[in-house]
Amino acid sequence: MQFRLFSFALIVLNCMEYSNCQAPSQRWRRNKRASYGAYPICKGCSVCSRDNGCVNCQPKLFLFLRRERMRQYGECLHDCPAGYYGMRSPELNMCSRCRIENCESCFSKDFCTKCKLGFYLHKGRCFDKCPEGFAPLEETMECG
C-alpha cells in the first residue's frame, strides 16, 4: 500500500514539473498564447527553452525579446510590435527597436514611417516643427 501511494505521489509531482499539468503562472495567463510545444511560450519556435522562451524561430517569423523586469523571453511573431522593425538575415530574423527619436513605427533603424502624436514626419525623421521651406500637413502629420 505504501509503495502504491509513493508511486502515485511521484507520478503527480512528475506531471506538475515537466508537462505543465499545474495551473499556468500569471505571466503566461496574461499573454494568452497557444501552446505548440512542451511549454506555452513555444509557439512558432524551432528551438525553445522553458526559462527563456524561444531561442530560434521557424522561417519567416521574427524573434522578439520581451523584457519582464530583469528577465527577457523570446517570442516568435509574424510582425514586429509597434516601435520595432523586422530585420531579416539568413541565420535569424529579429525584431529590433526603432532608434529614431519620437518614432512610433519604422522601416529600418534610420527611417521612420510614423511619428508619435504631435510630431511631423519628414524624410524618415520626426520633428516638432517642419524644417524651413516645408509646410505641416495636419491630416497626415507630414511636412509637404
Side-chain angles (χ1 to χ4, degrees), residues 8-18:
F8 179 74
L10 281 176
I11 290 170
V12 169
L13 289 173
N14 190 31
C15 177
M16 289 176 68
E17 185 174 324
Y18 293 108

Side-chain angles (χ1 to χ4, degrees), residues 103-123:
C103 184
E104 187 174 306
S105 65
C106 55
F107 175 74
S108 68
K109 70 177 180 179
D110 55 2
F111 194 88
C112 187
T113 55
K114 184 179 180 187
C115 295
K116 290 181 180 176
L117 191 63
F119 291 90
Y120 296 96
L121 182 66
H122 179 70
K123 295 185 178 180

Side-chain angles (χ1 to χ4, degrees), residues 51-110:
D51 297 323
N52 298 324
C54 294
V55 178
N56 202 344
C57 296
Q58 295 173 1
K60 298 184 181 179
L61 297 179
F62 292 101
L63 178 65
F64 174 63
L65 298 177
R66 180 179 306 282
R67 293 190 189 274
E68 284 187 14
R69 296 186 200 113
M70 296 296 289
R71 298 189 67 176
Q72 66 182 19
Y73 303 91
E75 289 183 77
C76 293
L77 306 171
H78 289 284
D79 296 308
C80 294
Y84 291 82
Y85 66 97
M87 248 179 28
R88 294 194 184 275
S89 72
E91 300 84 33
L92 180 69
N93 298 332
M94 186 138 191
C95 293
S96 295
R97 184 180 291 281
C98 296
R99 298 291 181 198
I100 300 166
E101 196 172 339
N102 301 311
C103 184
E104 187 174 306
S105 65
C106 55
F107 175 74
S108 68
K109 70 177 180 179
D110 55 2

Side-chain angles (χ1 to χ4, degrees), residues 29-40:
R29 208 175 298 127
R30 271 183 295 175
N31 289 342
K32 301 280 186 193
R33 301 274 185 225
S35 176
Y36 287 122
Y39 309 109

